[in-house]
Amino acid sequence: MPCFRRFVPALLALGIVFGVPLQATPRPTPKPVHLVILHTNDVHGHLTPFEYNGEKQMGGVARRSTLLKRLAPPEMAVLRLDAGDVWERGALSKRYHGQPDVLALNAMQYDAAALGNNEFRQGVPSLLEQMRLATFPFLSANVTVKATGKPLARESVLFRRGGLRIGVIGVTTPRITTYPGLESLAVEDPINAVRRVARRLRPQVDLLIALTHVGFLMDRVMAEQVPELDAIVGGDSHTRLDRPYVVKPVAAPGKAIPIVQAGEYGVRVGRLDLWVEKGRRPGPVVRFEGRLVPVTAALPEDPAVLKLLRPYLAPPATRPTRLAPAPAR
């Protein structure tokens, strides 16, 4: 040991001269991934601007398209989600069974939509036509066909954004069972369905989102009872949440699950910013922010979306009568 001590100064000198590290350099902490979720819900076929609560020329898909581009430019990691009730109440929407509404979502490059109860109003065959027309998946983990036991739509979808693996689960309000003509369908409790799919997907993803058309009150219960979730994008109750509502599940101490919803009729677009750190527990979201942005007359209308709508706004003799082919994405 005394002999070794004589060499210590020399070893230190060599380390200084040749730059040999004497201890491991700590790895830098990875920078969280910034993901932007743009979301709408309960648009109900409001394709063109209209007066809303005394404000003229609110909403409309052509202005919304412009706003979506401004809120999240191409270089950002973005998901565009709709939480259901895309069509049905608007005149054009009803006349064409949701066809122009789906084409507008295609043009705005939505990534997924939950099946809302109003999507079922004109029957399952009509709904299936619009689902085939869409270039994005409609999601519903809790609606199945009784005869086969198979889901009517996809239960979930996986995305890759900014290096993240993101799972999105969709569910629909159970009250569609009261609608005439839907006796062929079975509807599972939405919270049970989300829990079932979430437990299967959680090991496969970095981030897990529920895209729900069940209402704000059930979303709050879902956040408490399904701690595998990282965020809930909701609809059905037309709730205007100017900032995310936060639930801290008892079963996951230290975790916070934001719930967002953008009101109604497409007069606002929600933006939820998530900063995500892979593998972090109890949850990967290290920070989040959310806000609603109004779709006002100050926004120019997207010419491409206006062109898409023009045939549906034409005089009756020249209006389209058949489903248009789904555009390539």
PDB file of all heavy atoms in Angstrom, residues 123-156:
ATOM      1  N   GLY A 123     -78.452   6.220 -38.709  1.00  0.00           N
ATOM      2  CA  GLY A 123     -78.319   4.778 -38.868  1.00  0.00           C
ATOM      3  C   GLY A 123     -76.892   4.315 -39.092  1.00  0.00           C
ATOM      4  O   GLY A 123     -76.018   5.088 -39.492  1.00  0.00           O
ATOM      5  N   VAL A 124     -76.685   3.025 -38.829  1.00  0.00           N
ATOM      6  CA  VAL A 124     -75.347   2.453 -38.939  1.00  0.00           C
ATOM      7  C   VAL A 124     -74.831   2.453 -40.376  1.00  0.00           C
ATOM      8  O   VAL A 124     -73.661   2.787 -40.615  1.00  0.00           O
ATOM      9  CB  VAL A 124     -75.313   1.032 -38.332  1.00  0.00           C
ATOM     10  CG1 VAL A 124     -73.967   0.359 -38.583  1.00  0.00           C
ATOM     11  CG2 VAL A 124     -75.595   1.105 -36.825  1.00  0.00           C
ATOM     12  N   PRO A 125     -75.636   2.084 -41.394  1.00  0.00           N
ATOM     13  CA  PRO A 125     -75.109   2.100 -42.769  1.00  0.00           C
ATOM     14  C   PRO A 125     -74.587   3.473 -43.184  1.00  0.00           C
ATOM     15  O   PRO A 125     -73.518   3.581 -43.807  1.00  0.00           O
ATOM     16  CB  PRO A 125     -76.314   1.676 -43.622  1.00  0.00           C
ATOM     17  CG  PRO A 125     -77.148   0.857 -42.692  1.00  0.00           C
ATOM     18  CD  PRO A 125     -77.007   1.520 -41.354  1.00  0.00           C
ATOM     19  N   SER A 126     -75.311   4.537 -42.829  1.00  0.00           N
ATOM     20  CA  SER A 126     -74.858   5.890 -43.158  1.00  0.00           C
ATOM     21  C   SER A 126     -73.556   6.214 -42.443  1.00  0.00           C
ATOM     22  O   SER A 126     -72.629   6.797 -43.027  1.00  0.00           O
ATOM     23  CB  SER A 126     -75.930   6.910 -42.774  1.00  0.00           C
ATOM     24  OG  SER A 126     -75.480   8.228 -42.985  1.00  0.00           O
ATOM     25  N   LEU A 127     -73.466   5.826 -41.167  1.00  0.00           N
ATOM     26  CA  LEU A 127     -72.242   6.062 -40.407  1.00  0.00           C
ATOM     27  C   LEU A 127     -71.059   5.340 -41.035  1.00  0.00           C
ATOM     28  O   LEU A 127     -69.967   5.905 -41.177  1.00  0.00           O
ATOM     29  CB  LEU A 127     -72.435   5.610 -38.959  1.00  0.00           C
ATOM     30  CG  LEU A 127     -71.181   5.579 -38.073  1.00  0.00           C
ATOM     31  CD1 LEU A 127     -70.506   6.933 -38.028  1.00  0.00           C
ATOM     32  CD2 LEU A 127     -71.542   5.101 -36.670  1.00  0.00           C
ATOM     33  N   LEU A 128     -71.255   4.096 -41.429  1.00  0.00           N
ATOM     34  CA  LEU A 128     -70.161   3.328 -42.024  1.00  0.00           C
ATOM     35  C   LEU A 128     -69.686   3.957 -43.327  1.00  0.00           C
ATOM     36  O   LEU A 128     -68.491   3.917 -43.651  1.00  0.00           O
ATOM     37  CB  LEU A 128     -70.593   1.884 -42.250  1.00  0.00           C
ATOM     38  CG  LEU A 128     -70.856   1.067 -40.976  1.00  0.00           C
ATOM     39  CD1 LEU A 128     -71.363  -0.330 -41.335  1.00  0.00           C
ATOM     40  CD2 LEU A 128     -69.601   0.976 -40.116  1.00  0.00           C
ATOM     41  N   GLU A 129     -70.595   4.571 -44.093  1.00  0.00           N
ATOM     42  CA  GLU A 129     -70.197   5.273 -45.315  1.00  0.00           C
ATOM     43  C   GLU A 129     -69.234   6.420 -44.993  1.00  0.00           C
ATOM     44  O   GLU A 129     -68.224   6.604 -45.672  1.00  0.00           O
ATOM     45  CB  GLU A 129     -71.429   5.818 -46.037  1.00  0.00           C
ATOM     46  CG  GLU A 129     -72.248   4.770 -46.775  1.00  0.00           C
ATOM     47  CD  GLU A 129     -73.412   5.394 -47.533  1.00  0.00           C
ATOM     48  OE1 GLU A 129     -73.684   6.590 -47.316  1.00  0.00           O
ATOM     49  OE2 GLU A 129     -74.029   4.669 -48.331  1.00  0.00           O
ATOM     50  N   GLN A 130     -69.563   7.189 -43.967  1.00  0.00           N
ATOM     51  CA  GLN A 130     -68.693   8.317 -43.610  1.00  0.00           C
ATOM     52  C   GLN A 130     -67.361   7.829 -43.030  1.00  0.00           C
ATOM     53  O   GLN A 130     -66.316   8.450 -43.263  1.00  0.00           O
ATOM     54  CB  GLN A 130     -69.401   9.237 -42.606  1.00  0.00           C
ATOM     55  CG  GLN A 130     -70.760   9.735 -43.041  1.00  0.00           C
ATOM     56  CD  GLN A 130     -70.826  10.142 -44.503  1.00  0.00           C
ATOM     57  OE1 GLN A 130     -69.909  10.788 -45.022  1.00  0.00           O
ATOM     58  NE2 GLN A 130     -71.889   9.758 -45.183  1.00  0.00           N
ATOM     59  N   MET A 131     -67.385   6.739 -42.294  1.00  0.00           N
ATOM     60  CA  MET A 131     -66.135   6.196 -41.757  1.00  0.00           C
ATOM     61  C   MET A 131     -65.211   5.741 -42.883  1.00  0.00           C
ATOM     62  O   MET A 131     -63.991   5.903 -42.810  1.00  0.00           O
ATOM     63  CB  MET A 131     -66.442   5.042 -40.800  1.00  0.00           C
ATOM     64  CG  MET A 131     -67.059   5.495 -39.487  1.00  0.00           C
ATOM     65  SD  MET A 131     -67.673   4.132 -38.459  1.00  0.00           S
ATOM     66  CE  MET A 131     -66.154   3.255 -38.119  1.00  0.00           C
ATOM     67  N   ARG A 132     -65.795   5.178 -43.944  1.00  0.00           N
ATOM     68  CA  ARG A 132     -64.975   4.771 -45.103  1.00  0.00           C
ATOM     69  C   ARG A 132     -64.421   5.981 -45.845  1.00  0.00           C
ATOM     70  O   ARG A 132     -63.344   5.916 -46.446  1.00  0.00           O
ATOM     71  CB  ARG A 132     -65.801   3.900 -46.044  1.00  0.00           C
ATOM     72  CG  ARG A 132     -66.031   2.482 -45.550  1.00  0.00           C
ATOM     73  CD  ARG A 132     -66.632   1.605 -46.632  1.00  0.00           C
ATOM     74  NE  ARG A 132     -68.011   1.969 -46.936  1.00  0.00           N
ATOM     75  CZ  ARG A 132     -69.063   1.412 -46.350  1.00  0.00           C
ATOM     76  NH1 ARG A 132     -68.900   0.486 -45.419  1.00  0.00           N
ATOM     77  NH2 ARG A 132     -70.292   1.794 -46.681  1.00  0.00           N
ATOM     78  N   LEU A 133     -65.143   7.073 -45.818  1.00  0.00           N
ATOM     79  CA  LEU A 133     -64.723   8.292 -46.509  1.00  0.00           C
ATOM     80  C   LEU A 133     -63.560   8.986 -45.791  1.00  0.00           C
ATOM     81  O   LEU A 133     -62.765   9.697 -46.411  1.00  0.00           O
ATOM     82  CB  LEU A 133     -65.915   9.245 -46.606  1.00  0.00           C
ATOM     83  CG  LEU A 133     -65.765  10.525 -47.416  1.00  0.00           C
ATOM     84  CD1 LEU A 133     -65.534  10.219 -48.883  1.00  0.00           C
ATOM     85  CD2 LEU A 133     -67.006  11.393 -47.240  1.00  0.00           C
ATOM     86  N   ALA A 134     -63.450   8.784 -44.492  1.00  0.00           N
ATOM     87  CA  ALA A 134     -62.449   9.487 -43.688  1.00  0.00           C
ATOM     88  C   ALA A 134     -61.041   8.959 -43.949  1.00  0.00           C
ATOM     89  O   ALA A 134     -60.835   7.760 -44.113  1.00  0.00           O
ATOM     90  CB  ALA A 134     -62.784   9.355 -42.204  1.00  0.00           C
ATOM     91  N   THR A 135     -60.079   9.876 -43.949  1.00  0.00           N
ATOM     92  CA  THR A 135     -58.669   9.493 -44.050  1.00  0.00           C
ATOM     93  C   THR A 135     -58.028   9.356 -42.672  1.00  0.00           C
ATOM     94  O   THR A 135     -56.815   9.224 -42.556  1.00  0.00           O
ATOM     95  CB  THR A 135     -57.893  10.535 -44.877  1.00  0.00           C
ATOM     96  OG1 THR A 135     -58.061  11.825 -44.295  1.00  0.00           O
ATOM     97  CG2 THR A 135     -58.383  10.548 -46.313  1.00  0.00           C
ATOM     98  N   PHE A 136     -58.833   9.421 -41.634  1.00  0.00           N
ATOM     99  CA  PHE A 136     -58.396   9.257 -40.249  1.00  0.00           C
ATOM    100  C   PHE A 136     -59.324   8.231 -39.604  1.00  0.00           C
ATOM    101  O   PHE A 136     -60.424   7.986 -40.104  1.00  0.00           O
ATOM    102  CB  PHE A 136     -58.493  10.598 -39.493  1.00  0.00           C
ATOM    103  CG  PHE A 136     -59.869  11.184 -39.539  1.00  0.00           C
ATOM    104  CD1 PHE A 136     -60.820  10.877 -38.577  1.00  0.00           C
ATOM    105  CD2 PHE A 136     -60.245  12.029 -40.578  1.00  0.00           C
ATOM    106  CE1 PHE A 136     -62.105  11.392 -38.644  1.00  0.00           C
ATOM    107  CE2 PHE A 136     -61.527  12.557 -40.643  1.00  0.00           C
ATOM    108  CZ  PHE A 136     -62.452  12.232 -39.685  1.00  0.00           C
ATOM    109  N   PRO A 137     -58.925   7.610 -38.496  1.00  0.00           N
ATOM    110  CA  PRO A 137     -59.816   6.637 -37.854  1.00  0.00           C
ATOM    111  C   PRO A 137     -60.840   7.282 -36.935  1.00  0.00           C
ATOM    112  O   PRO A 137     -60.524   8.206 -36.178  1.00  0.00           O
ATOM    113  CB  PRO A 137     -58.845   5.767 -37.044  1.00  0.00           C
ATOM    114  CG  PRO A 137     -57.707   6.680 -36.725  1.00  0.00           C
ATOM    115  CD  PRO A 137     -57.572   7.605 -37.904  1.00  0.00           C
ATOM    116  N   PHE A 138     -62.084   6.811 -37.009  1.00  0.00           N
ATOM    117  CA  PHE A 138     -63.072   7.066 -35.966  1.00  0.00           C
ATOM    118  C   PHE A 138     -62.876   5.990 -34.901  1.00  0.00           C
ATOM    119  O   PHE A 138     -62.697   4.811 -35.228  1.00  0.00           O
ATOM    120  CB  PHE A 138     -64.491   7.003 -36.526  1.00  0.00           C
ATOM    121  CG  PHE A 138     -64.932   8.260 -37.218  1.00  0.00           C
ATOM    122  CD1 PHE A 138     -64.853   8.384 -38.595  1.00  0.00           C
ATOM    123  CD2 PHE A 138     -65.417   9.329 -36.482  1.00  0.00           C
ATOM    124  CE1 PHE A 138     -65.268   9.544 -39.228  1.00  0.00           C
ATOM    125  CE2 PHE A 138     -65.838  10.499 -37.105  1.00  0.00           C
ATOM    126  CZ  PHE A 138     -65.756  10.609 -38.483  1.00  0.00           C
ATOM    127  N   LEU A 139     -62.938   6.381 -33.626  1.00  0.00           N
ATOM    128  CA  LEU A 139     -62.617   5.480 -32.521  1.00  0.00           C
ATOM    129  C   LEU A 139     -63.800   5.294 -31.588  1.00  0.00           C
ATOM    130  O   LEU A 139     -64.505   6.250 -31.264  1.00  0.00           O
ATOM    131  CB  LEU A 139     -61.437   6.024 -31.718  1.00  0.00           C
ATOM    132  CG  LEU A 139     -60.150   6.333 -32.470  1.00  0.00           C
ATOM    133  CD1 LEU A 139     -59.113   6.930 -31.521  1.00  0.00           C
ATOM    134  CD2 LEU A 139     -59.593   5.088 -33.150  1.00  0.00           C
ATOM    135  N   SER A 140     -64.008   4.052 -31.155  1.00  0.00           N
ATOM    136  CA  SER A 140     -64.983   3.764 -30.102  1.00  0.00           C
ATOM    137  C   SER A 140     -64.698   2.374 -29.551  1.00  0.00           C
ATOM    138  O   SER A 140     -64.998   1.366 -30.195  1.00  0.00           O
ATOM    139  CB  SER A 140     -66.413   3.845 -30.628  1.00  0.00           C
ATOM    140  OG  SER A 140     -67.328   3.686 -29.555  1.00  0.00           O
ATOM    141  N   ALA A 141     -64.128   2.323 -28.356  1.00  0.00           N
ATOM    142  CA  ALA A 141     -63.761   1.051 -27.749  1.00  0.00           C
ATOM    143  C   ALA A 141     -64.929   0.342 -27.100  1.00  0.00           C
ATOM    144  O   ALA A 141     -64.811  -0.827 -26.718  1.00  0.00           O
ATOM    145  CB  ALA A 141     -62.657   1.271 -26.703  1.00  0.00           C
ATOM    146  N   ASN A 142     -66.084   1.027 -26.970  1.00  0.00           N
ATOM    147  CA  ASN A 142     -67.174   0.436 -26.192  1.00  0.00           C
ATOM    148  C   ASN A 142     -68.424   0.128 -27.008  1.00  0.00           C
ATOM    149  O   ASN A 142     -69.443  -0.249 -26.446  1.00  0.00           O
ATOM    150  CB  ASN A 142     -67.534   1.344 -25.013  1.00  0.00           C
ATOM    151  CG  ASN A 142     -68.090   2.699 -25.425  1.00  0.00           C
ATOM    152  OD1 ASN A 142     -67.627   3.290 -26.402  1.00  0.00           O
ATOM    153  ND2 ASN A 142     -69.059   3.193 -24.683  1.00  0.00           N
ATOM    154  N   VAL A 143     -68.376   0.280 -28.338  1.00  0.00           N
ATOM    155  CA  VAL A 143     -69.531  -0.050 -29.181  1.00  0.00           C
ATOM    156  C   VAL A 143     -69.185  -1.257 -30.043  1.00  0.00           C
ATOM    157  O   VAL A 143     -68.225  -1.227 -30.812  1.00  0.00           O
ATOM    158  CB  VAL A 143     -69.934   1.136 -30.077  1.00  0.00           C
ATOM    159  CG1 VAL A 143     -71.123   0.748 -30.969  1.00  0.00           C
ATOM    160  CG2 VAL A 143     -70.284   2.354 -29.231  1.00  0.00           C
ATOM    161  N   THR A 144     -69.976  -2.331 -29.887  1.00  0.00           N
ATOM    162  CA  THR A 144     -69.736  -3.556 -30.647  1.00  0.00           C
ATOM    163  C   THR A 144     -71.004  -3.984 -31.379  1.00  0.00           C
ATOM    164  O   THR A 144     -72.112  -3.572 -31.039  1.00  0.00           O
ATOM    165  CB  THR A 144     -69.281  -4.707 -29.724  1.00  0.00           C
ATOM    166  OG1 THR A 144     -70.269  -4.888 -28.698  1.00  0.00           O
ATOM    167  CG2 THR A 144     -67.940  -4.404 -29.089  1.00  0.00           C
ATOM    168  N   VAL A 145     -70.806  -4.830 -32.389  1.00  0.00           N
ATOM    169  CA  VAL A 145     -71.913  -5.409 -33.146  1.00  0.00           C
ATOM    170  C   VAL A 145     -72.339  -6.691 -32.432  1.00  0.00           C
ATOM    171  O   VAL A 145     -71.527  -7.604 -32.253  1.00  0.00           O
ATOM    172  CB  VAL A 145     -71.493  -5.704 -34.595  1.00  0.00           C
ATOM    173  CG1 VAL A 145     -72.651  -6.317 -35.379  1.00  0.00           C
ATOM    174  CG2 VAL A 145     -71.008  -4.422 -35.271  1.00  0.00           C
ATOM    175  N   LYS A 146     -73.600  -6.773 -32.020  1.00  0.00           N
ATOM    176  CA  LYS A 146     -74.058  -7.920 -31.231  1.00  0.00           C
ATOM    177  C   LYS A 146     -73.850  -9.247 -31.965  1.00  0.00           C
ATOM    178  O   LYS A 146     -73.460 -10.248 -31.362  1.00  0.00           O
ATOM    179  CB  LYS A 146     -75.534  -7.763 -30.883  1.00  0.00           C
ATOM    180  CG  LYS A 146     -75.842  -6.705 -29.835  1.00  0.00           C
ATOM    181  CD  LYS A 146     -77.344  -6.632 -29.569  1.00  0.00           C
ATOM    182  CE  LYS A 146     -77.685  -5.585 -28.532  1.00  0.00           C
ATOM    183  NZ  LYS A 146     -79.149  -5.483 -28.312  1.00  0.00           N
ATOM    184  N   ALA A 147     -74.121  -9.276 -33.243  1.00  0.00           N
ATOM    185  CA  ALA A 147     -74.079 -10.527 -33.989  1.00  0.00           C
ATOM    186  C   ALA A 147     -72.683 -11.133 -34.050  1.00  0.00           C
ATOM    187  O   ALA A 147     -72.522 -12.351 -34.085  1.00  0.00           O
ATOM    188  CB  ALA A 147     -74.606 -10.309 -35.410  1.00  0.00           C
ATOM    189  N   THR A 148     -71.672 -10.276 -34.050  1.00  0.00           N
ATOM    190  CA  THR A 148     -70.298 -10.766 -34.199  1.00  0.00           C
ATOM    191  C   THR A 148     -69.438 -10.554 -32.960  1.00  0.00           C
ATOM    192  O   THR A 148     -68.408 -11.206 -32.796  1.00  0.00           O
ATOM    193  CB  THR A 148     -69.614 -10.061 -35.375  1.00  0.00           C
ATOM    194  OG1 THR A 148     -69.529  -8.645 -35.090  1.00  0.00           O
ATOM    195  CG2 THR A 148     -70.397 -10.282 -36.670  1.00  0.00           C
ATOM    196  N   GLY A 149     -69.855  -9.627 -32.101  1.00  0.00           N
ATOM    197  CA  GLY A 149     -69.043  -9.286 -30.935  1.00  0.00           C
ATOM    198  C   GLY A 149     -67.848  -8.412 -31.277  1.00  0.00           C
ATOM    199  O   GLY A 149     -67.033  -8.103 -30.402  1.00  0.00           O
ATOM    200  N   LYS A 150     -67.752  -7.985 -32.541  1.00  0.00           N
ATOM    201  CA  LYS A 150     -66.611  -7.177 -32.964  1.00  0.00           C
ATOM    202  C   LYS A 150     -66.900  -5.688 -32.794  1.00  0.00           C
ATOM    203  O   LYS A 150     -68.049  -5.254 -32.914  1.00  0.00           O
ATOM    204  CB  LYS A 150     -66.277  -7.472 -34.424  1.00  0.00           C
ATOM    205  CG  LYS A 150     -65.783  -8.891 -34.666  1.00  0.00           C
ATOM    206  CD  LYS A 150     -65.442  -9.097 -36.139  1.00  0.00           C
ATOM    207  CE  LYS A 150     -64.915 -10.513 -36.374  1.00  0.00           C
ATOM    208  NZ  LYS A 150     -64.584 -10.751 -37.808  1.00  0.00           N
ATOM    209  N   PRO A 151     -65.861  -4.894 -32.544  1.00  0.00           N
ATOM    210  CA  PRO A 151     -66.061  -3.444 -32.427  1.00  0.00           C
ATOM    211  C   PRO A 151     -66.577  -2.854 -33.736  1.00  0.00           C
ATOM    212  O   PRO A 151     -66.174  -3.278 -34.826  1.00  0.00           O
ATOM    213  CB  PRO A 151     -64.655  -2.913 -32.113  1.00  0.00           C
ATOM    214  CG  PRO A 151     -63.898  -4.088 -31.589  1.00  0.00           C
ATOM    215  CD  PRO A 151     -64.461  -5.295 -32.288  1.00  0.00           C
ATOM    216  N   LEU A 152     -67.489  -1.888 -33.618  1.00  0.00           N
ATOM    217  CA  LEU A 152     -67.984  -1.210 -34.811  1.00  0.00           C
ATOM    218  C   LEU A 152     -66.888  -0.364 -35.445  1.00  0.00           C
ATOM    219  O   LEU A 152     -66.798  -0.257 -36.673  1.00  0.00           O
ATOM    220  CB  LEU A 152     -69.173  -0.312 -34.440  1.00  0.00           C
ATOM    221  CG  LEU A 152     -69.812   0.467 -35.586  1.00  0.00           C
ATOM    222  CD1 LEU A 152     -70.571  -0.483 -36.519  1.00  0.00           C
ATOM    223  CD2 LEU A 152     -70.743   1.548 -35.056  1.00  0.00           C
ATOM    224  N   ALA A 153     -66.058   0.243 -34.619  1.00  0.00           N
ATOM    225  CA  ALA A 153     -64.944   1.074 -35.080  1.00  0.00           C
ATOM    226  C   ALA A 153     -63.668   0.596 -34.387  1.00  0.00           C
ATOM    227  O   ALA A 153     -63.704  -0.317 -33.558  1.00  0.00           O
ATOM    228  CB  ALA A 153     -65.217   2.532 -34.752  1.00  0.00           C
ATOM    229  N   ARG A 154     -62.565   1.217 -34.696  1.00  0.00           N
ATOM    230  CA  ARG A 154     -61.320   0.876 -34.007  1.00  0.00           C
ATOM    231  C   ARG A 154     -61.399   1.308 -32.548  1.00  0.00           C
ATOM    232  O   ARG A 154     -61.952   2.362 -32.226  1.00  0.00           O
ATOM    233  CB  ARG A 154     -60.137   1.554 -34.700  1.00  0.00           C
ATOM    234  CG  ARG A 154     -59.856   1.007 -36.087  1.00  0.00           C
ATOM    235  CD  ARG A 154     -58.755   1.765 -36.797  1.00  0.00           C
ATOM    236  NE  ARG A 154     -57.472   1.651 -36.118  1.00  0.00           N
ATOM    237  CZ  ARG A 154     -56.323   2.103 -36.630  1.00  0.00           C
ATOM    238  NH1 ARG A 154     -56.319   2.698 -37.809  1.00  0.00           N
ATOM    239  NH2 ARG A 154     -55.187   1.958 -35.977  1.00  0.00           N
ATOM    240  N   GLU A 155     -60.842   0.505 -31.667  1.00  0.00           N
ATOM    241  CA  GLU A 155     -60.828   0.857 -30.246  1.00  0.00           C
ATOM    242  C   GLU A 155     -59.802   1.943 -29.955  1.00  0.00           C
ATOM    243  O   GLU A 155     -60.024   2.812 -29.114  1.00  0.00           O
ATOM    244  CB  GLU A 155     -60.501  -0.376 -29.403  1.00  0.00           C
ATOM    245  CG  GLU A 155     -61.563  -1.452 -29.421  1.00  0.00           C
ATOM    246  CD  GLU A 155     -61.237  -2.570 -28.455  1.00  0.00           C
ATOM    247  OE1 GLU A 155     -60.046  -2.844 -28.209  1.00  0.00           O
ATOM    248  OE2 GLU A 155     -62.191  -3.166 -27.923  1.00  0.00           O
ATOM    249  N   SER A 156     -58.673   1.862 -30.640  1.00  0.00           N
ATOM    250  CA  SER A 156     -57.564   2.767 -30.344  1.00  0.00           C
ATOM    251  C   SER A 156     -56.690   2.907 -31.578  1.00  0.00           C
ATOM    252  O   SER A 156     -56.837   2.160 -32.552  1.00  0.00           O
ATOM    253  CB  SER A 156     -56.729   2.238 -29.168  1.00  0.00           C
ATOM    254  OG  SER A 156     -56.165   0.970 -29.501  1.00  0.00           O
TER     255      SER A 156
END
